Amino acid sequence: MIAPGEYRYEIRRGSDLIAIEEDRFSGREISGSRRSATGSDSFEAAASLDESGMVTRVTARYTRGPFSRSASYEANLEFLRGNVSGMGGLTVETAKLGRYREVDAGLVLFKALMIAHIRERGQTRWTSRVASIDPSTLVAQTHKKTLRKKDAQDRIYIYEPRMGDSEEIEIDELGRIIRITDNTGNRIILKTPRP
């Protein structure tokens, strides 16, 4: 499982700081926020986990200037169901869960949770559908994703969130993500706690 604690990540494109993400993991809850470096937009999410570390409930909020929207989802054995409210309207959303019941709500710790699950199952690779919540629209959709171990030390993973995209994810001995580099050169770097 992920090491409990508070995490601060810098998101960079080249040398430019794009956003700061601050996350918390308590053992039964993931929560966090990502704010752009300009302060123009922010994304927040919180998820409750069951005894086996699977997501059971997610709430999220996106703000850009005067515009905001919020969402609330519940996960059962087969679906992630909920609603998104914004601009005075409410829409009902449903996304099918894959065989491993993984949910990605847009924060780094959700990827860390997926890696923790693959390590607990003793797998070196999986391909499965994942219910993903888009950080900008808060709409949940199901996408096929692949995650595989790259090195013998169990520290580097290759994650393919969609066809044509890839991320190299490095973890430390406690299962904390310390670096993510995607195929476009964007980087996410753990700043605190320092590995």
Side-chain angles (χ1 to χ4, degrees):
M1 193 52 74
I2 311 166
E6 296 186 359
Y7 300 80
R8 185 175 191 269
Y9 291 95
E10 286 184 356
I11 301 163
R12 294 188 171 271
R13 183 174 298 123
S15 61
D16 297 331
L17 179 65
I18 304 301
I20 297 289
E21 181 171 315
E22 296 179 318
D23 298 338
R24 288 162 300 289
F25 180 62
S26 67
R28 293 297 291 272
E29 184 176 287
I30 291 173
S31 61
S33 64
R34 180 181 293 159
R35 288 179 169 65
S36 67
T38 62
S40 61
D41 62 316
S42 67
F43 169 71
E44 300 171 17
S48 299
L49 309 179
D50 65 14
E51 310 79 40
S52 59
M54 304 310 293
V55 172
T56 58
R57 181 171 171 27
V58 179
T59 58
R61 180 175 173 80
Y62 172 76
T63 304
R64 183 178 183 98
F67 171 77
S68 69
R69 65 178 62 193
S70 60
S72 178
Y73 289 95
E74 299 278 340
N76 61 27
L77 291 177
E78 294 185 32
F79 295 97
L80 183 68
R81 289 190 168 106
N83 56 63
V84 177
S85 62
M87 301 287 289
L90 183 72
T91 59
V92 175
E93 303 290 341
T94 301
K96 184 156 179 48
L97 293 171
R99 61 184 164 172
Y100 296 115
R101 297 185 56 238
E102 299 289 358
V103 175
D104 182 357
L107 299 174
V108 173
L109 290 189
F110 287 95
K111 291 178 185 174
L113 187 63
M114 283 190 270
I115 291 171
H117 291 158
I118 192 174
R119 293 174 80 198
E120 286 171 4
R121 291 190 298 263
Q123 295 173 297
T124 58
R125 176 187 185 99
W126 66 248
T127 298
S128 180
R129 297 187 187 281
V130 175
S132 301
I133 298 171
D134 183 278
S136 298
T137 65
L138 306 187
V139 172
Q141 295 182 332
T142 303
H143 300 283
K144 185 181 278 189
K145 301 180 189 264
T146 299
L147 180 65
R148 64 183 166 85
K149 188 166 70 166
K150 182 181 178 182
D151 68 329
Q153 289 76 36
D154 202 23
R155 294 287 183 87
I156 298 177
Y157 289 80
I158 302 298
Y159 181 58
E160 297 173 3
R162 31 195 168 297
M163 189 176 291
D165 292 341
S166 69
E167 299 174 353
E168 184 175 277
I169 302 173
E170 182 180 355
I171 63 172
D172 67 9
E173 66 280 355
L174 299 175
R176 300 179 297 197
I177 290 179
I178 58 174
R179 179 187 58 83
I180 301 174
T181 305
D182 71 18
N183 59 319
T184 66
N186 292 332
R187 292 172 296 128
I188 299 175
I189 304 146
L190 177 65
K191 303 307 280 187
T192 57
R194 293 191 184 279

